[in-house]
Amino acid sequence: MALVFLPALARMAVCGGTHGNELSGVYVVQEMERQWKEKGECAWPIPVTTVLSNPRAVKECRRYIEKDMNRCFNRATLSSPITDSSPYEVRRAHELNNLLGPKGSTDAIDLICDLHNTTANMGLTLIHYTTSDWVTLHICKYLQMTCVSVAIEVGPQPHGVVRADIYTIMKEAVDLTIDWIHKFSSGMVFEGGDVEAFRFIKSVDYPRDPETRTLTAAIHPQLQDRDFCLLKRGDPLFLSFSGETVKYEEEEPLHPFFINEAAYYEKEIAFHLGKKMMLTIPSVQVQKD
């Protein structure tokens, strides 16, 4: 693939506490703010804005106060007027959009790193929503080459708890992202190649009583903590409370992730299923004036 020239990334934001009980991002942001107070503009080689996204939820160590903030940044919500009955998170999303956006405008921050924890055993996982965002995919490739894995959703870590190992991995991933942006904006050519990714296919719920909607089974012990393993027909998925095994019945082998994520119980999701794929990305360099 030909060399692709992309605009420089002038500004970056690091957001923690979008979910108030996912503490690694909260403490990464607080540590970066301490570094800023200590070193000022010398703290990082590029301008970085740090944001505690949902301060009320962080203070109460809750995922959210009224509404999952992670579902409040769509265009419909951000374009709707604020009223007296608007949930706190919707109001806060509008504030963040004014601070970091407006979303989709030329004034918006160039790159936002939104830091999350999961109770699932997913290691470091970078979540992106397109297969043609070369900047995001190159950062993913850079982290794959430099870290043990990839970053921004990091687990396993119980909600309301901070683990030093998980915090350290997340902080390292943020530092490496800043490093990549600095090198890219300084003119370095980043060679293309292949990046491993998983494309979301669908979500799977727990077995439930059809009348009460209560769970009738839990994640099978042979599946628990095996995020991104390959599921084949006949593999165990759930173990019912009466002792029976529910097996994987799909013809196509797929990969489960967010297995037994605590926050997904209310969303009726036991895990997601994805298809492994290799994305070929071009070499990139900052666009010259």
Side-chain angles (χ1 to χ4, degrees):
M1 300 176 72
L3 177 65
V4 174
F5 291 93
L6 299 172
L9 302 174
R11 297 176 301 162
M12 172 185 176
V14 178
C15 301
T18 300
H19 293 137
N21 57 1
E22 297 176 8
L23 298 187
S24 290
V26 172
Y27 286 105
V28 165
V29 164
Q30 290 180 354
E31 172 58 19
M32 294 181 72
E33 290 175 346
R34 186 197 66 78
Q35 291 175 359
W36 173 258
K37 290 179 181 178
E38 181 179 299
K39 301 178 181 179
E41 293 184 358
C42 297
W44 310 288
I46 63 170
V48 177
T49 299
T50 54
V51 178
L52 197 61
S53 301
N54 194 335
R56 281 185 57 187
V58 169
K59 184 176 181 179
E60 297 186 24
C61 199
R62 295 168 53 184
R63 182 174 175 85
Y64 55 83
I65 301 300
E66 295 181 82
K67 182 180 177 68
D68 192 331
M69 179 173 275
N70 230 17
R71 312 303 190 265
C72 294
F73 293 102
N74 57 74
R75 294 187 185 278
T77 300
L78 294 176
S79 62
S80 299
I82 294 295
T83 67
D84 292 341
S85 61
S86 296
Y88 166 72
E89 278 78 11
V90 171
R91 295 171 181 271
R92 181 60 176 157
H94 276 250
E95 292 175 2
L96 293 176
N97 190 48
N98 291 331
L99 174 66
L100 304 177
K103 187 175 183 178
S105 73
T106 56
D107 295 327
I109 289 282
D110 296 308
L111 181 70
I112 296 176
C113 286
D114 191 22
L115 306 177
H116 290 266
N117 290 121
T118 173
T119 61
N121 188 29
M122 289 170 56
L124 287 87
T125 303
L126 182 68
I127 299 176
H128 56 97
Y129 298 95
T130 173
T131 58
S132 59
D133 180 346
W134 304 139
V135 166
T136 302
L137 291 172
H138 262 281
I139 292 173
C140 180
K141 182 174 182 286
Y142 188 65
L143 294 176
Q144 284 181 334
M145 294 171 57
T146 312
C147 292
V148 177
S149 320
V150 189
I152 299 307
E153 179 92 41
V154 191
Q157 178 171 284
H159 296 322
V161 169
V162 61
R163 284 179 45 165
D165 55 344
I166 300 297
Y167 166 88
T168 300
I169 293 171
M170 180 179 284
K171 182 62 165 59
E172 180 184 9
V174 171
D175 290 342
L176 287 169
T177 299
I178 294 172
D179 182 59
W180 187 93
I181 295 172
H182 172 63
K183 290 177 178 177
F184 170 75
S185 296
S186 298
M188 180 179 289
V189 175
F190 284 89
E191 298 296 329
D194 292 334
V195 178
E196 182 181 280
F198 294 85
R199 178 167 59 90
F200 170 80
I201 300 297
K202 65 177 182 179
S203 300
V204 177
D205 191 13
Y206 297 89
R208 295 178 183 271
D209 183 284
E211 295 183 1
T212 65
R213 300 299 299 159
T214 56
L215 302 189
T216 59
I219 295 292
H220 196 281
Q222 293 182 34
L223 179 60
Q224 182 65 51
D225 299 328
R226 296 189 63 228
D227 294 75
F228 300 111
C229 69
L230 182 62
L231 278 177
K232 299 177 181 178
R233 187 176 177 86
D235 286 346
L237 294 182
F238 302 100
L239 183 63
S240 74
F241 300 131
S242 58
E244 299 172 342
T245 295
V246 179
K247 297 181 179 180
Y248 182 71
E249 297 182 351
E250 302 282 343
E251 292 292 340
E252 181 181 20
L254 293 172
H255 298 263
F257 54 99
F258 278 114
I259 298 173
N260 209 13
E261 160 60 45
Y264 284 1
Y265 276 68
E266 69 177 42
K267 303 180 188 303
E268 298 192 346
I269 296 173
F271 53 82
H272 293 319
L273 286 173
K275 187 171 184 177
K276 188 175 181 178
M277 57 193 301
M278 295 300 295
L279 302 176
T280 301
I281 60 176
S283 300
V284 297
Q285 186 178 13
V286 68
Q287 183 175 323
K288 301 174 182 178
D289 296 332

